[in-house]
Amino acid sequence: RVLSLELNKDRDVERIHGSGINTLDIEPVEGRYMLSGGSDGVIVLYDLENLSRKPSYTCKALCSVGRSHPDVHRFSVETVQWYPHDTGMFTSSSFDKTLKIWDTNTLQPADVFHFEGTVYSHHMSPVATKHCLIAVGTKSPKVQLCDLKSGSCSHILQGHRQEVLAVSWSPRHEYILATASADSRVKLWDVRRASGCLSTLDQHNGEKSKAASEAASTAHNGRVNGLCYTHDGLHLLTIGTDDRMRLWNSSTGENTLVNYGKVCNESRKGLKFTVSCGCNPEFAFVPYGSTIAVYTIFTGELITMLRGHYSTVNCCVLQPDFQELYSGSKDCNILAWIPGLREPVPDDISEKSPPQQHLNPAYEDAWSSSDDEG
């Protein structure tokens, strides 16, 4: 299904945003509702289900936090995320230096966290049962952990030297957090430990730093602005402004040295990319200019480029039940990429025996196997 992804001519996503779309999220409970966040601070909630049951349909916007809403974000919304356990709550963070916790039914903020700098990224653990921490990456090098239970920013992780552009909890271990920064570094943390940082990923796997006068480990030769764990949590993909994507063993911190070639990345902020779930092989879907590049994760092969947007793609998200992809772009559009239904092509039958085409269907042997026909 992933290999046959194509722009679906029969499915539209209602166009509400009047400016670029930075972030998308599909709730993990039913896989039915999607959030989008825009450069103008607007948040829209869509129903992806085809209620009309017609082949052509539009995914309707159910509601939105529009410009006239009293609690709308004042600047660009950079991340939206559903509460992982039910659809009654979602979160958003913005360049207006806030993280908001929303009640889905009333569209009112249940809580607002304020920060000293721009918020680039936030994430709630998809698997946590023992904590309700939201990791937040801001213009400050300190990673903030906000506790939903107490409503306070309980915790700070220190170690980065520049702004933190992306954060992601492990889908395997609820206390493990990965953070990516403009300082070229990716750090893994166990948030229970006072010292915090477990490791700093090193693209050279420790070989070059011995010789270098500065033994600092870097994941990329540039800003690291994207992070994504594979679904089993065993590997971590990172993306940097050095036009590289790297795959790391998340338990050893080792660079697996998979070569994806040049992965163009001119984003000045966090880049939201995603991975497949339950495929063999597994794929990564990466915004690449105005297209989405599809790579095989473990061999680094570029499978296809999905073309359809008119401007820079900022984010993409997968609906895992149906392996459908949704992408958001600076062109204000959300596009749906759906596996195309391929008609099975018969094996050159018509060339070898043209008369067969003219047979009256009544005389055809419906049971013949294709082996006999050739």
Side-chain angles (χ1 to χ4, degrees):
R1 287 177 69 84
V2 168
L3 293 174
S4 63
L5 277 178
E6 59 189 30
L7 187 57
N8 191 304
K9 300 167 192 64
D10 299 321
R11 185 177 319 182
D12 278 323
V13 180
E14 193 176 345
R15 185 168 168 167
I16 304 286
H17 285 281
S19 70
I21 294 153
N22 298 322
T23 170
L24 295 169
D25 192 42
I26 296 175
E27 44 86 15
V29 184
E30 289 180 81
R32 174 174 172 180
Y33 299 104
M34 181 170 73
L35 290 165
S36 63
S39 299
D40 53 2
V42 170
I43 298 168
V44 184
L45 197 165
Y46 305 88
D47 186 347
L48 301 180
E49 193 157 307
N50 180 5
L51 297 171
S52 71
R53 297 276 176 263
K54 292 181 182 142
S56 289
Y57 72 102
T58 298
C59 300
K60 288 286 182 205
L62 295 180
C63 56
S64 67
V65 180
R67 291 305 311 153
S68 57
H69 191 289
D71 298 296
V72 67
H73 281 290
R74 294 204 319 283
F75 303 123
S76 176
V77 174
E78 292 298 303
T79 314
V80 289
Q81 190 191 0
W82 287 101
Y83 181 60
H85 307 296
D86 69 61
T87 54
M89 189 163 84
F90 66 88
T91 55
S92 63
S93 60
S94 161
F95 278 179
D96 68 9
K97 307 179 184 178
T98 65
L99 163 70
K100 296 187 179 187
I101 318 299
W102 298 87
D103 179 319
T104 312
N105 299 311
T106 64
L107 278 195
Q108 298 298 318
D111 210 344
V112 181
F113 295 93
H114 296 271
F115 302 92
E116 283 172 19
T118 304
V119 184
Y120 288 104
S121 168
H122 78 269
H123 193 229
M124 279 177 285
S125 168
V127 295
T129 54
K130 299 186 188 72
H131 72 75
C132 285
L133 297 173
I134 305 179
V136 186
T138 71
K139 210 157 181 75
S140 154
K142 299 178 181 129
V143 181
Q144 316 260 350
L145 299 180
C146 298
D147 192 339
L148 273 184
K149 281 203 178 90
S150 68
S152 69
C153 277
S154 56
H155 223 81
I156 284 173
L157 305 175
Q158 301 204 48
H160 282 297
R161 296 177 193 173
Q162 289 181 47
E163 52 200 0
V164 178
L165 300 172
V167 295
S168 181
W169 293 96
S170 161
R172 195 176 186 88
H173 304 290
E174 65 174 288
Y175 293 107
I176 303 297
L177 176 70
T179 59
S181 165
D183 65 8
S184 308
R185 291 178 180 80
V186 173
K187 290 182 178 287
L188 299 178
W189 315 79
D190 181 336
V191 299
R192 295 168 299 186
R193 288 170 44 151
S195 59
C197 188
L198 289 173
S199 63
T200 302
L201 300 184
D202 176 16
Q203 58 182 309
H204 306 295
N205 288 332
E207 284 164 29
K208 214 164 179 181
S209 54
K210 296 186 190 104
S213 55
E214 188 192 5
S217 306
T218 58
H220 288 266
N221 303 323
R223 300 154 61 87
V224 193
N225 59 350
L227 279 179
C228 189
Y229 275 97
T230 54
H231 269 272
D232 57 14
L234 295 175
H235 291 86
L236 178 68
L237 277 165
T238 63
I239 220 162
T241 54
D242 55 0
D243 292 341
R244 287 283 175 260
M245 182 158 73
R246 295 206 162 90
L247 180 72
W248 309 83
N249 178 318
S250 60
S251 52
T252 64
E254 186 182 5
N255 180 0
T256 62
L257 304 175
V258 173
N259 181 7
Y260 301 95
K262 184 178 182 182
V263 184
C264 271
N265 172 7
E266 292 169 2
S267 175
R268 300 299 302 150
K269 50 189 191 179
L271 191 72
K272 311 281 196 289
F273 68 106
T274 192
V275 293
S276 62
C277 173
C279 292
N280 185 14
E282 295 285 0
F283 301 95
F285 305 93
V286 185
Y288 193 113
S290 62
T291 67
I292 299 145
V294 182
Y295 296 94
T296 49
I297 292 180
F298 294 103
T299 61
E301 196 183 342
L302 175 60
I303 298 294
T304 184
M305 303 284 262
L306 301 176
R307 301 176 196 280
H309 281 291
Y310 302 112
S311 186
T312 310
V313 179
N314 292 324
C315 55
C316 51
V317 64
L318 195 75
Q319 207 291 8
D321 303 337
F322 307 118
Q323 302 290 348
E324 298 171 347
L325 190 74
Y326 291 85
S327 57
S329 160
K330 210 169 166 177
D331 65 13
C332 310
N333 289 320
I334 297 173
L335 297 184
W337 308 85
I338 314 294
L341 295 172
R342 296 269 177 267
E343 291 295 319
V345 180
D347 303 333
D348 311 335
I349 295 165
S350 53
E351 289 172 27
K352 293 179 191 161
S353 47
Q356 273 201 336
Q357 293 176 317
H358 308 298
L359 265 181
N360 180 321
Y363 299 117
E364 276 190 39
D365 174 5
W367 296 97
S368 71
S369 72
S370 53
D371 300 347
D372 306 340
E373 291 176 43

